[in-house]
Every structure is written in structure tokens, then in C-alpha cells.
């Protein structure tokens, strides 16, 4: 394992990760040593975000009555401590909110402990993200938006009171909410945005301003004291978040020198994390959106800081938005690819969590000067992060076509009513799931063959969803594509073989260090798709998995899929077919039962193959 870590992650990463572990052990053994890493912070100003409220207010009042009621309802529940967590489930933290409580396990994290004394993973407490969720202050957006709709002071008062209570209950550096610099940064951002809105309406008091400064101070101190970990060890969306925290904190302290350094670092990190063809280094569409929303915010921050992202960074960001656009269904959804922690860090539209049109449309508008969608509810996101008049942004029709993003490992074949996507990565950064040669099939807005998702990083169900058998690919019994240690560490990465792709076909090979290879051929035809798999390796049985939210009926030569009693597709294949129950998680900590079709064949002299003919139906 150590050899694989050095080879794949690099000796500097292993060294830095060991150094950080030593730092934590030292602080736990000698608490006074934490002073070695602390920096003095003096917040002088907090008006870094000037939200232009009038067009947002007008936009909200043009929403349907149903959507206005939904915004107000979520805000009303948040006043009572019932927070919309992970964009999907109601989490009751009590009234007043108990900031140290997990609504999932009903356990409390000891607030008298310093952050480094609290474990990341505790079986009794459960997923720490459930403790953190309310303290991100994502629900503050609903207070802002509900106030714009109703002009009810209760929403401002809830913002003011909850912020004041949080500060009283969370003195720096005590409690779990200072464990993560990204969490601290998001809390700071959401506070500053909400502060700007209520200041516009002249509701902010001197006490509110003092509290906002304290939020910024504690958040900035956290990021400063622990940025080494995000920068040298994590190297993903956490790094982008915390650099944004450095920019905001330095500006708030009037430290122009360090603010400029942070911008230089941000440009460098964008070049590391966004691939030239649009991919994102974290192998996750949800984290890709997370990173892109951070870019929206940084473009907004430039209005005040007078520092700007480079043109090269902007092109990389636009390319990333284009990749999501090309892998998007007409409904706005995308495959549930990679780790998905339920984060929609800026819920500033009435679109659903699974709708990726807001971020795609906004970034095209910002960088390209054109929208890619007709006017819709997703336009609200543009208004929160710019002063653009959405009616003045021209529409540029951009077709979705069969696409190869070879550097990023995404390949699609499109027809008139949907698309098939497969993934084949050539890893140079840490993978998150065993999903090589997984296929996602979409037809008329239905995700016919789907990814299982994530559910939770801290549960057995979540751990299983990262494995090979949770994806629509081949599995030799007893073998995984790669090796896994703990919830996040994957090593012995697969290697990508030869890949060919055109408008009508794909062929690619994955070579596993667990002594097998898998070649998948996909061909588009007039009726649908044909898939031919070849697996070579040691084993007696090979299984091919197909997860589907559709109803499954086995037939003599394969199986048929139905949705709401309507035929979706028929699949012709040879082999032992088993239909069993599985779970899919479209939202963090939320799961639904789906079907999993397993086609089983015997390995003969270390070889097996499977052919699948997919005939798509006209469901109209």
C-alpha cells in the first residue's frame, strides 16, 4: 500500500500528509502548541459583497405562487430550526438551534473540545456533515429571498438572532465547526451575502455588524491556521473554497499584499483543478458544480477587490461549464457521477437540486456574454452574482452532440431523444469511486441505467456505493477495480488502454492492477445501442451490472424495462439474468430502492464476453 501511495499520490503528498498528522498529534498532546499555527487577525471592513437587490426582488415576485410559497415555507421552517439539509431532507436542530447536534443520530458533539480533539469519524455520532449542515448558513439565502417576497421582518430577525446565538455557542477554536476551513469559508460567505441584502433594506444594526465581523474573524483565522492541509494534502474543491476564504479575509483586514497573493494562488489552482477539455480533477459532477459556483462568487468579488481572474482561468471555467452542458439531459439533470455530498452551496434559484442549468447558464453569460438556455427560473443565479440585466444577455443556440472529452475521460453518444455516457479515466489524481466503463443511459428524460450515487461517506451503504458493483460495468467475483482504505483513500489506480470514439461508436479498455482487463464496445444504431464487453482475468464468474429506476420484466432472451407501465426499452442478451433490489441516492443521506439487473456468465480460460442490444421505445 505504501508503495502505491508514493507512486500514485507522490512523495510530496505522502510527506505532507504525514506532517499534518504529526501536527494534529502534537496539538492533542500539547494543546498550547496550537499557538504556533495561529495568526493575528483584525477585521476592519465587511462590505465586500454588494448584492444588487432590486432585480432579484422583481424576479422573485414574478415567480409562480407555488414557488414563492415554497421559498417562504423553507424559510419559516428554518426559523424554527428545521433546516433543509443537503438540498433534500428536513433536519430538525431544535428551537433555538442546537449547533452541536446531529438530527440523524440524535447525538451531541462536545462543544468544550477544541476542533482537533474531535474525531472526523465516530460510529456513535455518525456523519459529522449532519452536525455541520445548519452551520453552513445555507438557509440564510431563504431568509433573504423570503424577505424580498413578503417584507416580513421575522426573516431578518431570524438571521440576526441565529448569527448572534451561533457566535455565543461557538467561540474560536472550540467545537466541530472549526474542524474544516471549507465549512468556515462557506459560513462566512453566506453570512456576508445575507448581511448585504438586509443592509440594503436598512435593517442591520451595529450589533449585527459586530457579529458579522466576528464570523469573518473566526473563519479567516481557521483558514489561515490550517490552509496547509487544504493546499498540500486535499487539493480539491476544499482548496478553492479556502483560497476564496483567504481573499475575503485579507480584504476584510485591509491586507492587500496577501489578497493579491491569494489571487495568484487561485489562478494556479484553477489551472491545476480544471482540465483543458473541461473536466474537473475530483471526478464528480456535483463537486464540479460546487467549484463552478465558487468561480461565480470570485467573479463577483472582483467588483470590490479590483483583482481579476486571468483570461486563461476564465476559459478553463467556461470549458468546464460546457462539459456539463454536453453531458446534460434536456431536464437540466446530469449523470449522478462521482461523489455527491448533496451540496448546492448557493441555492439562489427555484430550480431543483438536480438541475444544473443555473450554473451552466450563468457562467456562459459571465464569460462568453451569451446564455445557452431560453429565459427561465435559472436566470435568478445571474442576478445574485452580477449586475447584468438578464433580458440584455443574448441567446446563443449551442447544440448537444456526441462528444469526446478524452483528457477528462467522458464520452457520449447522442440520439434525438437522449444520450449514453461512459467514463474511462486516465487517473493522475485520487479517484473517488470504482466506476471505470460505467454507462449512464438517458431516454426522454428518464435515467434508464443510472449511477448508484453516494448516500453518506460514513455509512456501510455509502461505502458500498463507491464499489465496482454499484456501477453499470463488469465485475469479476471477488475483485474490485482498485483497492480502497477508509472512506476516501483509493490506490492501485486502473490504467486506461486504447480509446476510439466517433459520433456513432466508442471502444475503450480498462486495465486493473487486480489482474484483469475490461474492454467495452458501444455502437449507436437506429433503434438504440449495442454493447459488447470482453473481460480477461483470473476468476470463475463475471457479472455485468445494470442499475435502473425502471420496472424490470425478464423475458426469454433478455429483459424489458417499463416506467409508469410504459415501455422504455428492451434488452437482448445471453446469460444468467438475476433481478435484485439495490439503492440509489440522488441526494446525500437520502436513498430510494431501485432494481439491479445482473447478467452472469462463466469465465472460460480466463475470458468472458457479453453482448447487449438495447432497443429504445417511443414512450409518447
Amino acid at each position: 500500500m505504501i508503495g502505491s501511495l508514493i507512486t500514485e499520490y507522490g512523495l510530496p503528498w505522502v510527506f505532507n500528509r504525514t506532517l499534518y498528522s504529526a501536527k494534529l498529534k502534537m496539538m492533542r498532546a500539547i494543546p498550547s502548541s496550537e499557538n504556533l499555527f495561529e495568526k493575528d487577525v483584525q477585521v476592519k471592513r465587511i462590505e465586500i459583497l454588494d448584492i444588487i437587490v432590486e432585480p432579484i426582488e422583481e424576479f422573485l415576485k414574478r415567480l409562480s405562487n407555488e414557488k414563492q410559497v415554497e421559498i417562504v415555507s423553507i424559510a419559516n421552517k428554518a426559523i424554527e430550526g428545521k433546516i433543509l439539509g443537503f438540498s433534500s431532507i428536513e433536519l430538525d436542530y431544535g428551537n433555538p438551534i442546537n449547533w452541536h447536534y446531529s438530527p440523524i443520530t440524535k447525538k451531541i458533539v462536545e462543544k468544550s473540545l477544541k476542533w482537533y480533539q474531535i474525531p472526523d469519524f465516530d460510529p456513535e455520532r455518525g456523519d459529522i456533515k449532519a452536525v455541520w449542515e445548519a452551520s453552513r448558513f445555507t438557509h440564510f439565502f431563504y431568509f433573504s429571498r423570503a424577505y424580498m417576497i413578503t417584507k416580513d421582518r421575522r426573516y431578518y430577525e431570524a438571521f440576526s438572532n441565529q448569527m448572534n446565538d451561533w457566535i455565543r455557542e461557538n467561540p474560536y477554536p472550540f467545537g466541530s465547526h472549526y474542524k474544516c476551513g471549507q465549512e468556515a469559508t462557506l459560513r462566512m460567505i453566506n453570512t456576508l451575502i445575507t448581511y448585504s441584502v438586509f443592509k440594503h433594506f436598512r435593517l442591520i444594526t451595529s450589533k449585527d455588524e459586530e457579529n458579522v465581523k466576528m464570523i469573518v474573524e473566526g473563519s479567516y483565522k481557521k483558514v489561515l491556521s490550517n490552509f496547509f492541509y487544504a493546499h498540500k494534502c486535499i487539493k480539491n474543491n476544499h482548496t478553492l473554497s479556502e483560497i476564496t476564504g483567504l481573499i475575503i479575509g485579507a480584504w476584510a483586514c485591509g491586507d492587500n499584499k496577501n489578497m493579491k497573493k491569494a489571487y495568484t494562488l487561485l489562478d494556479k489552482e484553477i489551472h491545476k483543478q480544471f482540465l483543458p477539455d473541461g473536466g474537473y480533477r475530483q471526478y464528480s459532477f456535483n463537486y464540479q458544480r460546487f467549484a463552478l459556483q465558487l468561480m461565480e462568487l470570485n467573479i463577483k468579488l472582483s467588483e470590490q477587490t479590483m483583482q481579476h481572474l486571468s483570461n486563461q482561468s476564465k476559459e478553463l471555467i467556461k470549458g468546464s461549464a460546457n462539459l456539463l452542458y454536453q453531458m446534460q439531459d434536456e431536464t437540466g439533470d446530469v449523470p449522478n457521477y462521482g461523489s455527491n455530498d448533496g451540496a448546492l452551496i448557493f441555492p439562489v434559484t427555484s430550480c431543483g437540486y438536480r438541475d444544473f442549468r443555473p450554473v451552466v447558464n450563468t457562467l456562459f453569460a459571465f464569460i462568453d456574454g451569451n446564455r445557452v438556455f431560453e429565459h427561465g427560473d435559472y436566470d435568478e443565479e445571474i442576478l445574485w452574482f452580477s449586475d447584468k440585466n438578464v433580458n440584455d444577455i443574448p441567446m446563443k443556440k449551442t447544440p448537444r452532440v456526441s462528444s469526446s472529452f478524452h483528457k477528462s475521460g467522458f464520452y457520449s453518444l447522442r440520439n434525438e431523444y437522449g444520450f449514453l455516457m461512459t467514463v474511462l479515466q486516465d487517473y493522475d489524481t485520487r479517484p473517488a469511486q470504482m466506476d471505470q466503463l460505467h454507462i449512464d443511459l438517458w431516454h426522454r428524460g428518464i435515467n434508464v441505467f443510472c449511477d448508484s450515487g453516494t448516500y453518506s461517506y460514513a455509512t456501510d451503504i455509502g461505502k458500498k456505493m463507491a464499489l465496482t458493483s454499484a456501477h453499470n460495468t463488469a465485475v469479476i467475483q471477488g475483485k474490485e477495480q482498485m483497492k480502497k482504505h477508509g472512506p476516501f483513500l483509493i490506490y492501485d489506480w486502473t490504467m486506461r488502454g486504447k480509446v476510439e470514439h466517433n459520433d456513432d461508436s466508442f471502444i475503450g479498455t480498462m486495465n486493473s492492477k487486480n489482474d484483469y482487463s475490461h474492454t467495452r464496445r458501444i455502437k449507436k444504431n437506429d433503434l438504440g445501442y449495442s454493447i459488447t464487453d470482453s473481460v480477461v482475468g483470473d476468476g470463475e464468474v463475471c457479472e455485468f451490472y445494470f442499475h435502473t429506476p425502471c420496472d424490470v420484466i425478464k423475458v426469454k432472451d433478455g429483459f424489458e424495462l417499463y416506467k409508469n407501465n410504459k415501455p422504455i426499452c428492451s434488452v437482448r442478451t445471453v446469460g444468467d439474468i438475476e433481478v435484485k433490489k439495490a439503492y440509489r441516492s440522488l441526494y446525500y443521506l437520502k436513498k430510494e430502492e431501485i432494481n439491479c439487473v445482473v447478467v452472469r456468465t462463466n469465465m472460460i480460460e480466463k475470458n468472458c464476453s457479453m453482448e447487449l442490444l438495447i432497443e429504445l421505445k417511443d414512450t409518447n
Side-chain angles (χ1 to χ4, degrees), residues 334-401:
V334 298
N336 194 17
Y337 166 74
S339 297
N340 181 353
D341 68 351
L344 178 59
I345 54 173
F346 304 135
V348 290
T349 75
S350 295
C351 300
Y353 165 77
R354 297 288 326 166
D355 191 341
F356 282 63
R357 285 175 294 185
V359 68
V360 170
N361 202 48
T362 298
L363 285 168
F364 268 97
F366 283 6
I367 297 172
D368 203 37
N370 299 292
R371 60 172 56 251
V372 289
F373 300 111
E374 299 288 353
H375 291 294
D377 291 345
Y378 34 78
D379 283 344
E380 187 184 347
E381 190 151 325
I382 296 173
L383 301 176
W384 279 90
F385 297 107
S386 80
D387 58 359
K388 292 179 180 289
N389 184 331
V390 294
N391 294 318
D392 293 338
I393 302 172
M395 169 74 179
K396 184 178 180 180
K397 186 70 173 177
T398 304
R400 291 193 179 96
V401 295

Side-chain angles (χ1 to χ4, degrees), residues 245-293:
L246 292 176
I247 290 171
I248 295 172
W251 182 91
C253 294
D255 185 352
N256 289 332
K257 180 180 178 181
N258 279 322
M259 183 182 70
K260 290 179 181 179
K261 284 184 178 179
Y263 268 100
T264 300
L265 190 58
L266 180 59
D267 267 323
K268 289 181 179 178
E269 200 62 32
I270 289 170
H271 283 245
K272 290 178 183 177
Q273 295 201 27
F274 291 95
L275 302 183
D277 65 354
Y280 183 61
R281 71 173 295 162
Q282 212 165 346
Y283 309 112
S284 160
F285 285 160
N286 186 60
Y287 283 140
Q288 187 165 341
R289 175 173 62 182
F290 186 116
L292 289 174
Q293 279 202 312

Side-chain angles (χ1 to χ4, degrees), residues 189-207:
I189 292 168
N190 295 340
T191 299
L192 288 168
I193 290 175
T194 311
Y195 163 77
S196 174
V197 171
F198 286 126
K199 186 175 182 181
H200 168 86
F201 290 110
R202 300 181 180 178
L203 296 170
I204 294 296
T205 66
S206 58
K207 179 63 175 175

Side-chain angles (χ1 to χ4, degrees), residues 43 45-51 136-137 140-141 144 159 163 184-199 204 209 211-217 219 244-245 247-249 251-252 297 301 384:
V43 175
R45 52 187 181 177
I46 52 177
E47 291 78 13
I48 192 170
L49 286 161
D50 181 18
I51 305 299
R136 273 193 177 186
F137 293 164
F140 281 4
F141 284 104
S144 300
F159 159 72
M163 178 172 58
T185 297
L186 294 176
R187 179 162 53 249
M188 173 171 62
I189 292 168
N190 295 340
T191 299
L192 288 168
I193 290 175
T194 311
Y195 163 77
S196 174
V197 171
F198 286 126
K199 186 175 182 181
I204 294 296
E209 291 183 349
N211 284 339
V212 173
K213 286 182 179 180
M214 290 185 71
I215 292 285
V216 173
E217 178 183 300
S219 300
T244 304
I247 290 171
I248 295 172
W251 182 91
L297 175 75
L301 291 175
W384 279 90

